[in-house]
């Protein structure tokens, strides 16, 4: 029997996300490309023809793929772990369930009534956006968990001055950086906040004490930043491949024809995204701000800086054309709204620190309980769930989620839009068929050359990943330069246009997709059934340039 409410919240949330993830991935074959790509990277660490840890790649930060590596080890017994990305689903489910526990704990630290603590935790865990990203293997799940953990620790520190809380916040932010680059911003804001609060509290050695506390918070993230950049530079020659590589976001945006929009319209779009996820915000924020000012409540400031800085970063990034108009980039508004509802109430009781600091200060618990306001805000959160659901059904606001609506009985789309949704749901079906065809062929290891730019779905679906020569293999460049001499039998190619221009095979042989580049002859031409996926051509490598086929 589960006696701990936090443990019960964790188990129920994780079970919900696992079930939804299994239904989407295994039953309906719906997977997001970034999530499946990370699963393939984890698979490559153990089962590629050149297994090594650096196979996780350096475009994305490594946390999600590293967590998935032990899960990928069981792929021989459970092929769906990689073929349908279930390793990613498990990863996101356990992290997002942890985020629900942190929301529960923040309410407990605040001293809110048990009914409110339960209601807000349930509303967070059952939010359709939280369920979706708890069930699809994306980095949003660990990032939301780590930000909730960091925020809770920073909130506690405002009254305990406990170095354990400060260290906990710093460690969470360091791990958050290894999950998403966005964590740089809340780390900077958090360090400044801590330094200012300490400076105001201190009675002697103000500057030294403030600097020390700020460094304690920022040090783990700074160490993660340096270690990851140095490792990337030593192994690839690029310290920040996400920004300089042909596979990074900047290159993808350029290959896609530039930013989707620019100017003031981007700010309006970002605000629309935020309001879709938290429609209660226009009513909630003024109330929380006024009450926090009256109470001089640093807990509200801590939560606002942690999550608000992430939202500000995403808004500015989209406005400057360095990121995409994805609803998931604003997901941090959901835990912030839940925390704000808790913070409508004045704190009750004192937080017990492991070792309260010199500047520990008792909370001011004399404020009004604001029971009616908290109950009203909780009810508004309930009403906001259908708004978020409808927003996720909108193609203009939710390009990555709206296709799932085709699986729901009340999907408002019809005609061409339904066809588009079904095509998105069929994304990677062609790649699975290609993997099955290649698996059925009696081929030796290292006989198929492919770039994982698009080919990750083929490799992840294959029962024989050692048959593929991938960019993560340490001899990839030499094999690419002379496939025949390295016993490569086939080239798996995509059109040399759009994102395909950064495909390594196209960069080395620009005409290979059109005519085989005089090193291969066409064996299969495969049209793609998935949305926004390229057609494929399988070329048989010739014995020598201009020679006969094998």
């Amino acid at each position: 029997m589960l006696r701990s409410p936090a443990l019960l919240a964790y188990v129920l949330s994780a079970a919900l996300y696992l079930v939804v993830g299994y239904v989407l991935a295994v039953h309906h074959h719906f997977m997001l490309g970034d999530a499946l790509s990370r699963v393939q990277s984890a698979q490559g660490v153990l089962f590629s023809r050149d297994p090594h840890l650096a196979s996780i790649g350096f475009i994305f930060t490594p946390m999600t793929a590293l967590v998935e590596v032990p899960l990928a080890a069981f792929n021989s017994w459970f092929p769906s772990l990689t073929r349908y990305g279930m390793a990613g689903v498990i990863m996101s489910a356990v992290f997002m369930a942890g985020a629900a526990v942190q929301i529960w704990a923040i309410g407990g630290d605040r001293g809110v009534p048990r009914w409110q603590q339960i209601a807000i935790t349930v509303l967070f865990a059952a939010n359709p956006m939280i369920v979706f990203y708890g069930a699809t293997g994306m980095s949003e799940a660990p990032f939301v968990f780590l930000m909730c953990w960091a925020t809770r620790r920073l909130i506690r520190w405002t009254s305990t001055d406990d170095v354990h809380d400060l260290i906990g916040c710093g460690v969470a932010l360091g791990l958050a950086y290894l999950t998403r680059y966005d964590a740089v911003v809340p780390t900077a804001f958090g360090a400044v906040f801590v330094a200012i609060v300490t400076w105001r509290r201190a009675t002697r050695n103000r500057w030294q004490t403030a600097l020390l506390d700020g460094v304690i918070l920022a040090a783990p993230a700074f160490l993660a930043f340096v270690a990851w950049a140095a490792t990337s530079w030593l192994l690839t020659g690029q310290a920040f491949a996400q920004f300089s590589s042909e596979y990074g976001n900047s290159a993808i945006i350029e290959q896609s024809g530039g930013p989707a929009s620019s100017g003031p319209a981007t700010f309006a779009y970002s605000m629309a995204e935020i309001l879709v996820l938290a429609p209660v915000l226009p009513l909630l924020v003024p109330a929380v701000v006024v009450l926090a000012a009256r109470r001089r409540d640093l807990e509200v400031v801590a939560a606002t800086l942690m999550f608000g800085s992430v939202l500000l970063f995403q808004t500015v990034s989209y406005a400057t054309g360095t990121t995409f108009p994805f609803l998931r980039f604003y997901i941090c508004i959901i835990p912030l709204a839940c925390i704000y509802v808790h913070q409508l109430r004045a704190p009750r009781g004192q937080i017990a620190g492991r070792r309260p600091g010199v500047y520990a200060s008792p909370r001011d618990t004399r404020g009004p309980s604001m029971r009616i306001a908290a109950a009203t805000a909780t009810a508004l959160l309930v009403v906001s769930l259908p708004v978020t659901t409808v927003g996720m059904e909108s193609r203009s606001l939710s390009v990555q989620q709206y296709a799932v609506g085709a699986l729901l009985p009340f999907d408002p789309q019809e005609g061409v839009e339904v066809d588009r949704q079904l095509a998105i749901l069929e994304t990677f079906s062609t790649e699975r068929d290609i993997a099955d065809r290649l698996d059925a062929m009696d081929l030796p290891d290292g006989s198929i050359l492919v770039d994982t730019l698009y080919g990750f779905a083929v490799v992840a679906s294959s029962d024989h990943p050692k048959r593929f020569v991938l960019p993560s293999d340490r001899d990839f460049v030499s094999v690419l330069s002379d496939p025949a001499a390295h016993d490569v039998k086939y080239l798996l190619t995509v059109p040399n246009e759009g994102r395909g221009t950064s495909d390594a095979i196209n960069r080395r042989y620009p005409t290979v997709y059109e005519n085989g580049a005089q090193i291969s002859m066409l064996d299969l031409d495969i049209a793609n059934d998935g949305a926004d996926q390229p057609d494929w051509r399988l070329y048989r490598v010739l014995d020598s340039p201009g020679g006969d086929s094998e």
Side-chain angles (χ1 to χ4, degrees):
M1 181 178 178
L2 297 174
R3 302 192 176 205
S4 166
L7 181 58
L8 180 61
Y10 183 86
V11 171
L12 292 178
S13 300
L16 170 65
Y17 305 144
L18 285 171
V19 169
V20 173
Y22 181 85
V23 171
L24 288 177
V26 179
H27 185 67
H28 292 293
H29 302 166
F30 174 77
M31 290 163 281
L32 295 175
D34 285 352
L36 188 59
S37 175
R38 287 170 170 86
V39 170
Q40 187 275 315
S41 296
Q43 176 198 53
V45 171
L46 301 174
F47 299 114
S48 66
R49 61 182 283 272
D50 182 21
H52 57 288
L53 188 57
S55 293
I56 60 172
F58 294 91
I59 304 300
F60 300 113
T61 43
M63 177 64 74
T64 52
L66 286 175
V67 172
E68 291 164 5
V69 169
L71 297 171
F74 295 95
N75 189 59
S76 298
W77 295 278
F78 305 101
S80 62
L81 285 170
T82 58
R83 183 175 177 87
Y84 296 111
M86 279 302 297
V89 171
I90 295 170
M91 178 279 300
S92 61
V94 299
F95 275 116
M96 197 64 91
V101 171
Q102 293 300 319
I103 295 295
W104 168 273
I106 289 171
D109 290 341
R110 188 74 175 182
V112 303
R114 182 55 61 94
W115 73 263
Q116 181 177 327
Q117 194 179 7
I118 294 172
I120 297 303
T121 303
V122 170
L123 289 171
F124 171 81
N127 185 289
M129 192 71 173
I130 295 296
V131 173
F132 185 87
Y133 282 99
T136 49
M138 296 288 283
S139 62
E140 273 64 32
F143 187 71
V144 168
F145 162 69
L146 291 165
M147 287 302 302
C148 287
W149 178 22
T151 301
R152 183 194 172 207
R153 285 296 186 173
L154 190 58
I155 288 173
R156 289 173 57 88
W157 175 85
T158 60
S159 60
T160 66
D161 191 40
D162 188 341
V163 70
H164 295 93
D165 287 324
L166 204 55
I167 291 172
C169 179
V171 169
L173 289 170
L175 294 174
Y177 176 78
L178 295 176
T179 303
R180 293 186 64 90
Y181 291 110
D182 312 25
V184 168
V185 183
T187 300
F189 275 74
V192 171
F193 170 74
V194 166
I196 292 173
V197 171
T198 299
W199 186 87
R200 291 175 60 86
R201 286 174 171 173
T203 56
R204 57 190 178 86
N205 298 324
R206 278 185 161 187
W207 290 105
Q208 296 92 323
T209 307
L211 179 62
L212 178 61
D213 280 358
V215 167
I216 289 174
L217 182 139
F222 179 75
L223 179 61
F225 172 86
V226 172
W228 182 241
T231 303
S232 177
W233 178 73
L234 287 171
L235 295 179
T236 69
Q238 296 176 317
F240 304 103
Q242 171 73 309
F243 309 102
S244 58
S245 169
E246 289 286 338
Y247 302 99
N249 271 359
S250 300
I252 293 173
I253 291 173
E254 183 180 347
Q255 293 155 9
S256 303
S261 59
S262 59
T266 62
F267 293 101
Y269 186 89
S270 294
M271 185 55 64
E273 299 276 65
I274 290 172
L275 291 177
V276 160
L277 297 179
V280 69
L281 213 60
L283 298 175
L284 191 57
V285 169
V288 171
V289 169
V290 170
L291 290 172
R294 287 180 178 178
R295 300 166 182 160
R296 297 184 179 181
D297 194 343
L298 289 177
E299 296 183 11
V300 174
V301 179
T304 302
L305 286 177
M306 285 288 99
F307 289 110
S309 60
V310 175
L311 297 169
L312 176 64
F313 172 76
Q314 291 296 347
T315 300
V316 172
S317 295
Y318 179 47
T320 55
T322 57
T323 192
F324 304 95
F326 291 161
L327 186 62
R328 63 186 174 94
F329 289 159
Y330 304 90
I331 194 171
C332 281
I333 194 61
I334 298 173
L336 179 58
C338 293
I339 294 170
Y340 275 165
V341 175
H342 283 323
Q343 292 175 337
L344 281 173
R345 289 181 176 271
R348 291 290 182 260
Q350 301 301 327
I351 298 176
R354 291 180 60 185
R355 187 180 300 170
V358 175
Y359 307 114
S361 57
R363 300 159 113 184
D364 183 358
T365 61
R366 295 171 298 175
S369 62
M370 302 298 294
R371 288 177 296 177
I372 295 177
T376 302
T378 303
L380 289 174
L381 282 183
V382 176
V383 175
S384 72
L385 294 185
V387 176
T388 300
T389 302
V390 172
M392 291 175 67
E393 284 274 284
S394 167
R395 180 178 176 182
S396 61
L397 293 174
S398 184
V399 295
Q400 293 187 301
Q401 294 81 222
Y402 89 102
V404 177
L407 305 176
L408 303 176
F410 53 84
D411 180 33
Q413 310 291 346
E414 57 185 29
V416 175
E417 279 302 317
V418 172
D419 294 337
R420 171 74 180 175
Q421 287 176 308
L422 294 176
I424 293 174
L425 293 174
E426 286 298 314
T427 302
F428 307 128
S429 61
T430 299
E431 284 74 13
R432 288 192 297 274
D433 290 341
I434 293 172
D436 292 340
R437 288 190 186 208
L438 295 174
D439 284 350
M441 301 166 68
D442 186 17
L443 295 172
D445 292 348
S447 56
I448 307 166
L449 185 65
V450 63
D451 192 339
T452 48
L453 173 73
Y454 282 114
F456 63 86
V458 177
V459 181
S461 301
S462 175
D463 292 332
H464 305 283
K466 292 183 181 294
R467 292 181 179 177
F468 297 89
V469 181
L470 308 175
S472 58
D473 295 343
R474 283 167 286 195
D475 62 349
F476 179 78
V477 174
S478 59
V479 175
L480 178 64
S481 297
D482 194 347
H486 290 85
D487 297 322
V488 171
K489 309 299 181 185
Y490 291 96
L491 307 177
L492 192 54
T493 67
V494 297
N496 192 10
E497 58 188 30
R499 288 196 64 197
T501 58
S502 62
D503 181 280
I505 301 177
N506 283 334
R507 293 204 309 271
R508 178 64 180 83
Y509 306 104
T511 64
V512 65
Y513 181 82
E514 296 299 328
N515 55 32
Q518 297 185 327
I519 64 167
S520 59
M521 62 180 296
L522 184 63
D523 204 62
L524 282 175
D525 197 338
I526 309 160
N528 208 311
D529 296 328
D532 301 320
Q533 290 295 105
D535 295 333
W536 292 89
R537 285 181 179 174
L538 183 68
Y539 279 93
R540 186 189 300 267
V541 175
L542 304 176
D543 284 330
S544 58
D548 298 327
S549 64
E550 296 183 353

